[in-house]
């Protein structure tokens, strides 16, 4: 299989590239390095079957050529991180909506399979936990930029499913739940690398809000293994899959675990959302996937526990 990974120099994309190359596939990456980094793929340079293009997916002649040369597209290029989304809303919406539009249009011309990376963020404020793929989504008002991200990714899903329905473009949509691991940066607000960096630097661990909000952190290796397994599944076409761990943890408990595992003396401090992001910021109170559907399809089971994941991330930060 010849895979094209958009956003392939990003955190998840670079791990996926490694996994696919390890499975004997060839991999071509396109990334504009806006949030990705060349360092993430530098070790793959020169490896048989690997190539990369530093450009935006919105450069249509370049993208068309790459699409022509592949069998399957993993579309991971997107604006990521709540901080970036709040601070650069125009870029978020344009990258997510227009970028996906371009990828689907060119994939459709050549009838290439597209695996679209979506996000658990699309469930918004829904309290119907655990979230099922066919459950309702509950987004906040348009004056709160956080919801622009969820809405832009939901639009990607609508468009991909529309291509499947109208043009039989083979698409598979995967909603990722808080993927973590080495190479993820805390620069755009992600909590695990932020807490680990703070704990190792002896700085306060900044818990936003009251810390009762919960997430399920998923090991990047589990995520990319599932992504690799999905592409060949005909029965997955035109469907949406949750992909994540079901081990739920509150953000305050996460801070305590990072502190204990690093042996850090850092204090844990509360930061109001208004100060952390912007006035009136709304968070998701709980986020837990129902993974029945992906388990039935590929036998997916998250292998890494939260403590194992945190230990691997801590080791990664220590060796850097
Ligand atoms: N968070 C926090 N401190 C930080 C960064 C994030 O308490 O330094 C919180 C954030 O408000 C959210 C959770 O941790 O409730 C997960 O945030 P992240 O940005 O990693 O992912 P999200 O699930 O919000 O997309």
């Amino acid at each position: 299989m010849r895979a094209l990974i958009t956003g392939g120099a990003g955190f998840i994309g670079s791990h996926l590239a490694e996994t696919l190359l390890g499975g004997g596939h060839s991999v071509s990456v396109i990334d504009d390095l806006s949030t990705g980094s060349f360092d993430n793929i530098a070790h793959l340079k020169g490896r048989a079957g690997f190539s990369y293009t530093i450009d935006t997916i919105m450069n249509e002649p370049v993208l068309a050529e790459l699409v022509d040369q592949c069998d399957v597209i993993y579309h991971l290029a997107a604006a990521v991180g709540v901080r970036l989304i709040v601070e650069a809303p125009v870029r978020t919406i344009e990258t997510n909506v227009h970028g996906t539009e371009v990828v689907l249009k060119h994939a459709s011309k050549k009838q290439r399979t597209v695996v679209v990376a979506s996000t658990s963020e699309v469930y918004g404020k829904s309290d119907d936990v655990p979230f099922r793929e066919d459950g309702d989504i509950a987004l906040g008002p348009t004056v709160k930029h956080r919801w622009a991200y969820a809405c832009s990714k939901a639009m990607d899903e609508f468009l991909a499913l529309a291509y499947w329905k109208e043009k039989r473009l083979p698409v598979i949509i995967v909603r990722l739940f808080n993927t973590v691991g080495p190479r993820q940066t805390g620069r755009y607000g992600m909590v695990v690398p932020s807490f680990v960096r703070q704990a190792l630097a002896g700085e306060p661990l900044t818990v936003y809000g009251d810390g009762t909000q919960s997430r399920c952190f998923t090991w990047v290796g589990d995520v990319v293994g599932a992504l690799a397994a999905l592409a060949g599944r005909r029965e997955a076409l035109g469907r949406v899959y949750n992909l994540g761990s079901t081990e739920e943890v509150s953000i305050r408990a996460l801070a305590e675990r990072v502190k204990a595992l690093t042996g850090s003396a850092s204090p844990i401090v509360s930061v109001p959302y208004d100060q952390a992001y912007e006035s009136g910021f709304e968070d998701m109170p709980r986020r837990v996937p129902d993974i029945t559907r992906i388990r039935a399809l590929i036998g997916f089971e998250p292998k890494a526990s939260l403590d194992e994941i945190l230990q691997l991330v801590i080791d990664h930060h220590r060796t850097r």
Side-chain angles (χ1 to χ4, degrees):
M1 183 176 81
R2 297 167 306 166
L4 169 64
I5 307 177
T6 72
F11 155 55
I12 301 174
S14 62
H15 283 278
L16 178 62
E18 261 172 37
T19 296
L20 292 174
L21 285 168
H25 305 292
S26 71
V27 172
S28 131
V29 156
I30 178 166
D31 201 303
D32 65 359
L33 303 184
S34 53
T35 56
S37 161
F38 187 73
D39 290 347
N40 290 341
I41 51 167
H43 63 294
L44 301 176
K45 212 176 144 184
R47 198 157 146 181
F50 179 74
S51 60
Y52 66 91
T53 305
I54 305 302
D55 209 333
T56 163
I57 51 172
M58 289 176 264
N59 185 341
E60 297 199 35
V62 169
L63 186 81
E65 183 62 24
L66 294 172
V67 167
D68 187 44
Q69 290 163 12
C70 77
D71 306 306
V72 58
I73 303 162
Y74 285 96
H75 178 41
L76 272 63
V80 287
V82 178
R83 182 160 309 288
L84 178 67
I85 284 143
V86 168
E87 286 169 5
V90 173
R91 179 168 142 204
T92 298
I93 297 169
E94 284 183 356
T95 307
N96 292 358
V97 177
H98 186 53
T100 302
E101 215 175 352
V102 169
V103 168
L104 291 170
K105 182 176 87 179
H106 288 282
S108 178
K109 283 187 187 155
K110 304 283 172 178
Q111 280 293 306
R112 301 296 191 250
T113 300
V114 190
V115 179
V116 178
S118 184
T119 166
S120 52
E121 182 86 13
V122 297
Y123 291 105
K125 296 188 279 187
S126 167
D127 56 7
D128 195 9
V129 177
F131 297 141
R132 283 165 42 113
E133 292 87 344
D134 53 5
D136 286 344
I137 61 180
L139 303 186
T142 50
V143 287
K144 301 198 173 181
H145 291 303
R146 192 227 173 102
W147 304 118
Y149 176 60
C151 194
S152 65
K153 295 300 284 189
M155 199 57 223
D156 288 354
E157 294 194 14
F158 277 124
L159 189 62
L161 293 170
Y163 266 99
W164 164 247
K165 183 174 181 208
E166 209 176 302
K167 301 179 191 292
R168 298 322 271 177
L169 175 70
V171 301
I172 302 170
I173 292 161
V174 189
R175 292 184 181 156
L176 306 182
F177 282 70
N178 292 78
T179 308
V180 291
R183 299 185 203 139
Q184 184 178 40
T185 156
R187 209 175 307 142
Y188 309 106
M190 275 72 164
V191 68
V192 167
S194 298
F195 281 178
V196 169
R197 192 199 60 74
Q198 290 166 339
L200 293 178
E203 294 171 12
L205 275 65
T206 51
V207 171
Y208 298 164
D210 64 8
T212 57
Q213 71 273 29
S214 73
R215 297 292 188 269
C216 295
F217 294 96
T218 313
W219 174 240
V220 66
D222 286 338
V223 169
V224 298
L227 290 175
L230 270 176
R233 306 306 289 253
R234 307 282 322 157
E235 62 274 48
L237 299 180
R239 288 175 69 79
V240 180
Y241 292 88
N242 287 336
L243 177 52
S245 158
T246 51
E247 186 180 347
E248 185 179 7
V249 65
S250 75
I251 298 304
R252 178 153 292 273
L254 176 76
E256 279 156 10
R257 280 161 94 157
V258 169
K259 210 171 121 81
L261 287 168
T262 51
S264 169
S266 293
I268 296 174
V269 297
S270 296
V271 180
Y273 285 120
D274 288 7
Q275 277 173 33
Y277 297 113
E278 62 180 355
S279 168
F281 180 85
E282 290 181 330
D283 203 357
M284 296 178 66
R286 281 184 77 194
R287 189 189 273 176
V288 183
D290 179 318
I291 56 170
T292 310
R293 193 178 278 190
I294 197 157
R295 186 184 282 137
L297 181 75
I298 55 167
F300 173 75
E301 290 301 338
K303 290 189 195 74
S305 70
L306 180 60
D307 279 346
E308 285 167 342
I309 296 171
L310 292 177
Q311 194 58 60
L312 287 159
V313 174
I314 291 164
D315 293 346
H316 172 73
H317 278 247
R318 280 205 166 114
T319 54
R320 272 194 326 170

